[in-house]
Amino acid sequence: MAGTRKKTTDDPLAPVTLAVGQEELLLERAVREVAAAARAADPDTDVRELAAVDLQPGTLAELTSPSLFAERKVVAVYNAQDLSADSVKDVKSYLGDPAEEITLVLLHAGGAKGKGLLDAARKAGAREVACAKLTKPADRLAFVRGEFRGLGRSATPEAAQALVDAVGSDLRELSSACKQLVADVEGTIDEAVVARYYTGRAEASGFAVADRAVEGRAAEALETLRWAMATGVAPVLITSALAAGVRGIGKLASAPRGMRPGDLARELGMPPWKIDRVRQQMRGWSADGVSTALRAVAAADEAVKGGGDDPEYALEQAVLTVAKAARSR
């Protein structure tokens, strides 16, 4: 039937792979995965990586033309959303009749620009790899767990969370940290190991500031805040961590009583170990305290995003308000 979307595949040697997103590490891995599979099938595989500007009209036909030696090729086109109109026509034509022994990888940002090409590749049944930026803490946590699994090692949930707290949101740094721990440590990687290797950074992370604040430890929270600022932790990451800490207490406080730990974890969207930590942190909190703390954090967040003259002062006031609220019961 005309217009029917072709069946997709998970085979890295599919004729066309579409890597969609803006996370550079994941985009690069998508290309490496295809290249590795192609070279496993044929060690002499020719891998060509091109920027959009390099794919001029006629270039794709030249790269994918039959070879006398029937060699396998991988052609990767970065920033495919920036291709010229004529080059897009070439790619769309190729999608309708891809060459044998050729794997085309289109790396596309996924936005509105170049959407026609994106839609055409999907309609043609391209294998698709998600490469979106991991903006949610849960996604970065899943990434770290996946890194350890891929390296053949196990890490406790607490260790994975501690590593994310310590290293931050950069996937390259997270991946590098996982590799370092696996290379240097035997056995299961736990929270103590992460603390030993990343003590300076872990203690200065936004989540460390938040933990001390929501526990009512004002002096320690301020000391950790100043160290975090001195070591380059972005203020917005600190307000985000403070907000997450206070919201976690509010969510747990309002949760139905008597629920089993597993059910409660699913209801609140928290891992069980996190619920145990929040339960300990919420002992001194009242409903009014949660409300007051959230308003203070929201004000600080606005200030650090350009609405105030002194982001550091705004953060200090938010930390003090949260710590005071932690003893409002």
Side-chain angles (χ1 to χ4, degrees):
M1 180 184 298
T4 299
R5 180 170 174 173
K6 296 182 181 179
K7 185 178 180 180
T8 58
T9 176
D10 289 329
D11 182 3
L13 292 182
V16 181
T17 285
L18 183 62
V20 184
Q22 299 181 45
E23 182 53 67
E24 291 185 3
L25 177 64
L26 300 183
L27 291 167
E28 291 172 8
R29 285 186 175 183
V31 175
R32 289 205 303 267
E33 180 188 21
V34 171
R39 284 173 172 153
D42 180 358
D44 295 325
T45 293
D46 181 19
V47 178
R48 304 288 185 92
E49 298 185 33
L50 300 90
V53 69
D54 298 324
L55 197 73
Q56 297 297 316
T59 303
L60 183 62
E62 179 183 342
L63 290 172
T64 58
S65 60
S67 167
L68 291 175
F69 303 100
E71 66 180 354
R72 182 181 289 276
K73 290 182 181 178
V74 173
V75 179
V77 182
Y78 285 81
N79 297 312
Q81 72 278 357
D82 295 331
L83 287 172
S84 68
D86 288 337
S87 294
V88 168
K89 289 180 182 178
D90 285 353
V91 175
K92 287 183 177 180
S93 176
Y94 178 83
L95 291 172
D97 186 22
E100 294 185 8
E101 303 299 312
I102 305 290
T103 300
L104 175 65
V105 185
L106 298 173
L107 299 102
H108 193 291
K113 187 177 182 181
K115 189 174 184 297
L117 177 59
L118 189 65
D119 292 341
R122 286 170 170 161
K123 185 177 179 180
R127 167 181 175 260
E128 188 164 340
V129 180
C131 301
K133 286 188 175 294
L134 305 186
T135 58
K136 297 180 180 179
D139 291 338
R140 292 193 287 272
L141 187 59
F143 173 81
V144 167
R145 290 172 176 169
E147 291 294 285
F148 282 124
R149 282 196 301 270
L151 294 167
R153 293 291 292 279
S154 61
T156 65
E158 294 85 353
Q161 183 66 61
L163 193 60
V164 172
D165 292 349
V167 175
S169 60
D170 189 289
L171 295 196
R172 292 185 191 280
E173 290 193 17
L174 286 170
S175 177
S176 177
C178 291
K179 291 175 182 176
Q180 178 184 344
L181 290 171
V182 166
D184 294 352
V185 178
E186 295 182 358
T188 299
I189 295 165
D190 58 21
E191 191 174 14
V193 168
V194 174
R196 186 165 71 247
Y197 273 74
Y198 293 92
T199 181
R201 294 180 70 171
E203 289 176 358
S205 74
F207 286 100
V209 176
D211 280 343
R212 287 160 175 75
V214 299
E215 290 165 6
R217 297 151 60 188
E220 293 176 46
L222 284 175
E223 181 181 356
T224 307
L225 170 65
R226 288 162 186 156
W227 180 251
M229 297 292 288
T231 55
V233 177
V236 68
L237 295 180
I238 298 173
T239 56
S240 176
L242 284 168
V246 177
R247 281 198 300 266
I249 287 170
K251 287 166 66 176
L252 186 56
S254 60
R257 297 186 181 277
M259 293 183 68
R260 291 181 299 179
D263 294 336
L264 186 59
R266 285 188 291 273
E267 176 75 17
L268 301 183
M270 297 181 188
W273 67 266
K274 180 69 172 177
I275 287 178
D276 291 338
R277 176 179 291 180
V278 175
R279 184 173 282 120
Q280 294 174 355
Q281 293 173 335
M282 65 181 285
R283 291 173 181 167
W285 284 84
S286 67
D288 287 342
V290 170
S291 178
T292 298
L294 285 175
R295 287 197 299 270
V297 173
D301 188 60
E302 182 181 358
V304 303
K305 291 178 178 176
D309 297 328
D310 191 341
E312 187 169 343
Y313 175 77
L315 283 171
E316 288 179 353
Q317 292 305 301
V319 165
L320 288 172
T321 301
V322 171
K324 182 178 179 181
R327 302 184 180 281
S328 59
R329 177 177 292 178

